[in-house]
Amino acid sequence: MKISTTPLLEELKDRTGNHLQYVQTLLQKPENELNFRISTDSWSALECLEHLNRYGDFYIPEISHRISSSETSAQATFKPGILGNYFAKSMLPKEKLNKMKTLKAMNPIHSQLNKDVLNEFVKQQQLLLELLEKAQHIDLEKTKTAISISKLITLKLGDTFRFVIYHNARHIAQVERILNNI
């Protein structure tokens, strides 16, 4: 399966822009609503976003470094890797979500959180949009990034972008479900 590079990057920018706008609207909500959890072992809206921020703390510098050190030129198409495509597709929100265990370091449950989490998420999404712009000038297949669970495994940059942004979409949908239960 080959994907046209320009429409792929545009789709990822659109999704990121939507996530950014949605979280900016959450700044108007009271913190007690943002800290509401459906059950004692479920995440609050702020915990979902803190989880994303923790992944962003790894992936944004990793992507930035790989883009700035890339000596490749943009290609018209992107062919996802087998592993990267699997990871990316598994993150897309679906009607019946499959639950996934998160790494302990990425699990913010029962953290004391405030609206700083929202501001950090907004900042990270703005950086992600800048990186998506820069990515238009390099090869999304030949440029590789490490992944958060192992520096030994690398993914194509296009797959890494898809994974990160689809993972964001998954948890933004979770935030919406939580806030709809208040």
Side-chain angles (χ1 to χ4, degrees), residues 73-167:
S73 297
Q75 301 298 309
T77 59
F78 168 71
K79 186 175 192 281
I82 294 168
L83 189 60
N85 197 43
Y86 170 78
F87 284 155
K89 284 185 168 184
S90 72
M91 287 299 120
L92 278 170
K94 356 180 179 349
E95 198 63 40
K96 174 115 174 69
L97 267 185
N98 50 327
K99 283 205 168 209
M100 296 180 174
K101 281 287 247 183
T102 192
L103 298 172
K104 188 172 181 161
M106 300 300 185
N107 190 345
I109 194 154
H110 302 300
S111 300
Q112 296 297 312
L113 301 172
N114 58 38
K115 288 186 182 179
D116 291 344
V117 170
L118 303 178
N119 292 319
E120 177 62 21
F121 183 82
V122 166
K123 185 178 96 188
Q124 286 188 4
Q125 298 317 291
Q126 290 166 336
L127 290 169
L128 199 51
L129 286 170
E130 289 173 22
L131 292 170
L132 286 163
E133 280 297 319
K134 291 178 182 176
Q136 293 177 111
H137 308 291
I138 63 168
D139 189 323
L140 298 180
E141 268 183 66
K142 289 190 176 140
T143 306
K144 310 277 183 162
T145 66
I147 64 170
S148 61
I149 57 173
S150 172
K151 301 245 191 279
L152 301 175
I153 301 171
T154 60
L155 296 180
K156 296 174 181 184
L157 178 60
D159 287 331
T160 301
F161 272 128
R162 291 169 64 227
F163 168 79
V164 170
I165 293 165
Y166 295 170
H167 183 235

Side-chain angles (χ1 to χ4, degrees), residues 3-43:
I3 305 169
S4 291
T5 302
T6 301
L8 171 63
L9 290 171
E10 287 304 316
E11 180 229 336
L12 296 173
K13 283 190 255 182
D14 286 347
R15 282 182 183 268
T16 302
N18 290 337
H19 299 156
L20 176 63
Q21 286 180 321
Y22 176 72
V23 170
Q24 285 173 320
T25 68
L26 299 182
L27 286 163
Q28 310 309 312
K29 293 202 173 282
E31 274 183 16
N32 66 320
E33 283 185 26
L34 297 170
N35 277 304
F36 168 80
R37 66 179 77 247
I38 295 170
S39 67
T40 56
D41 61 343
S42 67
W43 287 351

